Amino acid sequence: MSTPKVVIVGAGIVGTSLADELTGRGWTDVTVVDRGPLFATGGSTSHAPGLVFATNPSKTMTELASYTCEKFSALTHPDGWCFNHVGGLEVATTDVRWGDLHRKAGWAASRGVAHELLTPAECVAKYPLLDPDLILGGLYTPRDGLAKALRAVEAQAARATERGARFVGHQEVVDVIESNGSVRGVRTTTGTFDADVVVCCTGFWGREFGRRVGLTIPLVPMAHQYAYTTPLASRKGVNSAVAEASLPILRHQDQDLYYREHGDRLGIGYYGHRPMPTDVSALDHESAISLEEMPSKVMFTPDDFAQAWEQSTRLLPELAGGKVEEGFNGIFSFTPDGHSVVGEHRELHGFWVAEAVWVTHSAGIARTVAESMIDGAASVDTHEFDLYRFEEAGLTDDAILATSSQSFVEVYDVIHPHDQRTAPRQVRTSPFYDRQVALGAEFWEAGFWERPAWFEANQGLLDDLVAGGFVIPERDSWSARHWSPISVAEATHTRSHVALYDMTPLTRYELSGPRALDLLQQLATNNLDKSVGSVTYTLMLDEKGGVRSDLTVARLSDDVFQVGANGPVDFDWIARHLPTDGVTLRDITGATCCLGLWGPSAREVLAPLTPTDLTNEGLKYFRCVQTTIGPIPVTLMRVSYVGELGWEIYTGAEYGRGLWDLLMTAGHEHKIISAGRIAFNALRIEKGYRSAGTDMTTEHTPDAAGLGFAVRMSKDDFVGKSALAERVSTTRLRTLRFTDPAAVVLGKEPVSVGGAVVGYITSAGWSPTQRTCLAYAWLPADLEDGVEVSVAYQRTTYRAVLGPDVSVDPAMSRIRK
């Protein structure tokens, strides 16, 4: 059987890894072209120091790096090793960093990465050049190491060539040939290459290449400093010319530094300098190649490196007797969130992107692209590096530069889960923003929306709560960051009175037309063929039966549906399945706004303002109606993500401020407050509600995530149905209740039973009703309620007990009253 013709543009570590992955799966009609010579083409791969560290905040990226380590380890090359497991050593010189290394050790433990926390003396035993008096400890990962990038390129290219692939250098692509919305090949300066699939693996030239096909690839080429020291006497003769390195890769992240051996010299990489965006269009590629230089290496700027050298001689005193012998500023790609950019062009079938990929994840990313092309879905969750994950506001030139520059600055920073983007801010604000500012809102940012986390105006509620004997335990400095006990008071007040939540940032789409229902039935797991006014919770799966997203779908008329989704990746998925006619898909988020009015007194607040019968018989749970509140036209949906009586209230953005004022005025006698995201999160966990992308991904099935109720296997075929029927899950998403009221976790911590790590936390919140922390965790499916587990939180271990998913109102009497 014939396979598609594939042209990969870029013969660096990503392009050659992809050629190897594709040909290994039987797609052998693969051509790899590059504007430079093979295989030192002049891109980032040509100068990459080759550090590969598996442990990452992202579970997926950890897995992809681990795959890269093991794959490159198995490669052979006539000149020697392609991967050297010298190990990795991160050292801490501050208490904050030492706590962070314990957190990283937790990530490693939950993902099966070999690791060890070391004392200063043990660090010196691994790396004798260290000053033991400067460090507090270290994290050692023995399977990490060095990739000899060009050898790995050549070894994979040789293997792919044996299977039928061909590699052609000095082929600058000047045009992508397309017809009827599909690629047909590429045109180079010397000829044409036919193709059914074209893959952009052009590295830091990716953004420029994407423009040729009308695609914004959000990356910024940045210069990063790398220097070589003069020879060190203590390393003379230790490393052979073949071995090159025997010390672990050393990372001194408190000073934005890393080190690797080059024989008896050290290479020093530095991230502490100012961001240096580079205009790649100004690079003289041909002249550089003819002079045997790399266009990806620009002139070293010694002044930017001065602080790096000073700190290096402190950490490694022997360096003080030498100097920087040579250096360069090497160009590679940074993105707004630090992740790669991978996927197929939605409007040009067959055009794929695999960009901003470092050597660390190169083979892993290549595997996911090959799986996606051939199987329709990858074996790991890919939403963190999906091409279409960015909001429209994040794809402007100013936003890409600002956010990518922040990514560069923060490469080695200790990042808190709730650290906020510094710029740009106040890009998207709801109509209620000025009212929220007046109430002292502390804003978090997500999707460029300003979202209140808590309100200082509610300090009085906290004072009253504490005066009444409610104890809110003190937090450690890490978990207290970006948090306020006011949020506990807001959650408690929601359960006892009524609160207003700004739900405007909730992504909303409108699907309309005579074939809208058919499309939704094809994509959704639940049955949406219900009466007008119905609201349905449902899932979307990938082709392998994993959970892509969850949706709340309201049928506003026979042919009009409002879809509550989770972001741009959902829009992309739906858009890819649109029929040629009969359905219109619109993002209506910015044109509308939404308030969640929830709590036992919600009906008393709202009923006098609307002609609609708000009794349980008049508007049942999970029903909606288009009506008015005062003079304002609204859509009322009787749904509640916090587990209390109430409604999501939607209206046009122009009515937003008036709606807020009406509700706040009417709610005054019922003690209405405005509440924020932290209270919202705690309440939804009490109620057992999941968060897509955090609590479940494509790696999980609906049943395992506790969402089997949203799947109707009896309905006609839907995406993922046949695969789902054959999947067996060995893990389940479970709820943990911590036995110590002062225990707090934030997510991604390892969970152990009997001393063995068996799972990990996804999300958590301090429950005002249970007066302790509740958390979700993926754990073995055979664990029963009541089993005690331990959770490693930085340098502390907490005890918790497995319990029921729903901690508050399991009978749903509050919501349905």
Side-chain angles (χ1 to χ4, degrees), residues 80 133 183 242 302 314 454:
D133 295 332
V183 296
V242 174
R314 289 189 64 212
W454 70 84

Side-chain angles (χ1 to χ4, degrees), residues 22 47 109 175 197 201 253 317 333 400 487 490 560 564 702 772 790 797:
L22 288 172
H47 72 253
D175 191 22
V197 176
C201 300
Q253 294 174 304
S333 303
I400 292 171
S487 64
E490 291 175 353
V560 178
T772 192
S790 60
T797 298

